[in-house]
Amino acid sequence: MPTAIMSTAVSTDPHLGGSIAHASAAATACLERAGIGPDQVDLLINVGVYRDENMAEPAMSALIQKNVGTNLDYLRSGRAALSFDLMNGACGVLNAVQVAGAFLDTGDAEFVLVVSGDAHPSGRPDPGFGYASVGAAILLSRTTDAGAGFGRVGTAAHDGDTPGVVGYIDLDAVGTLGRERVTVERDADYTDRLVEFAAVEAARYAAAEGIDLSDVLLVASQPTPTFAAELAGRLGIAPPAVVTVRGVDADPHSSALTFAYHQAVSTGQAAAYPQALFVAAGAGLSVACSVYRGVR
């Protein structure tokens, strides 16, 4: 059975600061919107990349799971819950959809919660960082409607190129401030290469899946404010069918797809289209695509 979206939520409160707080807030709101209790979640996947204080352990998913209260006591809830981090930049959400589908198809999970959040490790705004301090969550489950839900997730990586964007901790430079510093370097032609690669792969995916690009809502990652529009232009998709994240002053990164889809549904933009084409593109260069039918 296909994987369907039950609800979405985002977190933009500037007072929260950290990635864990944003992801936790979005997750809680997402479950409330769906009318699902935390103990009903069988799997929690965190796709956020830039984390509080540059923590490597424990997994951010475990800390988010604790904040949300997802099956913390096996004896009380009568069911176990698994959580883990899955990091692949802007493509992480669609990678998580792949994983969620496997768990849902085998009956090992009834509800899967995919969360995201990126923030500067210091917890304070930094103009050189380039990523928005926001969070998002998407609740997935199975649907008996064969004509609805996510289709195949297609992925591609561009071999032989530089990554385009690299984030790292320069230990020689930061000294004792390693918990609150991060260096992000971008190639000058990164977004040009990225939109070209994304357009080629999205067109290939649409052709393989028989998707009519004249009747689809484009939901794309947004490394720049104009990326989605540029991608739509290359695919021949008219501007009204392009979702642009509003109210965010930087790249939503791992939250971009969920954030964009959430706003499109909330404003009624999505209701005009029978299907949405999710296209994520990020460092690597890498692209992930999936169609979502039965948009609501």
Side-chain angles (χ1 to χ4, degrees):
M1 290 184 285
T3 300
I5 298 173
M6 291 194 65
S7 67
T8 56
V10 299
S11 172
T12 60
D13 185 348
H15 298 98
L16 291 180
S19 62
I20 296 172
H22 275 300
S24 300
T28 298
C30 184
L31 293 178
E32 291 176 350
R33 288 169 61 91
I36 298 297
D39 284 350
Q40 293 178 264
V41 176
D42 303 291
L43 175 63
L44 187 150
I45 305 174
N46 169 48
V47 299
V49 176
Y50 289 98
R51 48 189 60 192
D52 304 353
E53 298 182 341
N54 288 321
M55 283 187 285
E57 295 290 345
M60 298 299 98
S61 62
L63 300 178
I64 297 166
Q65 180 181 0
K66 180 181 179 181
N67 287 346
V68 178
T70 303
N71 285 308
L72 303 182
D73 187 337
Y74 294 171
L75 296 179
R76 183 178 64 83
S77 66
R79 61 198 295 175
L82 173 66
S83 67
F84 57 84
D85 293 344
L86 189 164
M87 295 184 292
N88 191 21
C91 298
V93 168
L94 292 182
N95 295 142
V97 168
Q98 285 181 299
V99 174
F103 275 82
L104 294 169
D105 285 346
T106 59
D108 289 332
E110 182 179 6
F111 299 108
V112 178
L113 186 60
V114 179
V115 301
S116 55
D118 292 286
H120 192 275
S122 68
R124 301 183 298 274
D126 187 316
F129 181 51
Y131 299 111
S133 295
V134 298
I138 182 169
L139 182 65
L140 304 173
S141 187
R142 288 174 290 180
T143 176
T144 56
D145 185 351
F150 279 101
R152 177 182 64 89
V153 176
T155 60
H158 201 307
D159 296 329
D161 283 339
T162 58
V165 175
V166 178
Y168 63 96
I169 305 171
D170 187 342
L171 296 179
D172 291 333
V174 300
T176 60
L177 301 177
R179 285 187 174 273
E180 57 184 66
R181 300 286 178 85
V182 65
T183 299
V184 179
E185 297 180 347
R186 296 175 178 81
D187 291 346
D189 62 347
Y190 167 62
T191 53
D192 293 335
R193 291 160 50 205
L194 192 63
V195 72
E196 180 179 357
F197 185 44
V200 170
E201 294 304 322
R204 180 180 289 127
Y205 176 88
E209 298 299 312
I211 299 170
D212 181 1
L213 292 177
S214 68
D215 194 25
V216 69
L217 178 71
L218 178 63
V219 181
S221 56
Q222 301 192 30
T224 69
T226 62
F227 181 85
E230 292 172 6
L231 177 60
R234 291 175 182 249
L235 294 174
I237 299 176
V242 183
V243 183
T244 301
V245 172
R246 298 173 302 282
V248 176
D249 58 2
D251 180 7
H253 198 38
S254 62
S255 296
L257 293 187
T258 305
F259 205 116
Y261 184 76
H262 175 80
Q263 289 191 333
V265 172
S266 299
T267 61
Q269 181 183 11
Y273 302 91
Q275 56 189 351
L277 178 61
F278 286 79
V279 181
L285 303 172
S286 59
V287 173
C289 306
S290 186
V291 62
Y292 185 76
R293 298 184 171 91
V295 177
R296 58 181 178 85

